[in-house]
Amino acid sequence: MTTTTEHEHIDAVRDRLAALFPDVPASVIDETIAAEHARFEGNSIRDFVPLFVERKARKALQAK
């Protein structure tokens, strides 16, 4: 279950990644974040999910 706070953190991740990768279309950033976020669905401890999503999405975007 994703909390409002988690959504806010993911929104901030999106903003940071958009700033880091200005040449990457927003749709690609959104798809990358969604794919990484989905990997953590069902985990009961959610505190670090945005951090993990950001790290993994950044690596994926750097590889493109």
Side-chain angles (χ1 to χ4, degrees), residues 2-14:
T2 304
T3 65
T4 300
T5 302
E6 186 175 323
H7 280 294
E8 293 168 353
H9 288 295
I10 294 296
D11 287 344
V13 166
R14 183 174 293 106

Side-chain angles (χ1 to χ4, degrees), residues 32-49:
T32 304
I33 289 170
E36 295 302 334
H37 196 234
R39 295 177 56 186
F40 297 99
E41 199 60 40
N43 290 1
S44 59
I45 299 174
R46 309 293 304 176
D47 293 344
F48 297 103
V49 168

Side-chain angles (χ1 to χ4, degrees), residues 9-10 13 16 47-56:
H9 288 295
I10 294 296
V13 166
R16 287 192 295 273
D47 293 344
F48 297 103
V49 168
L51 174 66
F52 297 145
V53 168
E54 183 171 4
R55 285 181 182 173
K56 290 185 175 291

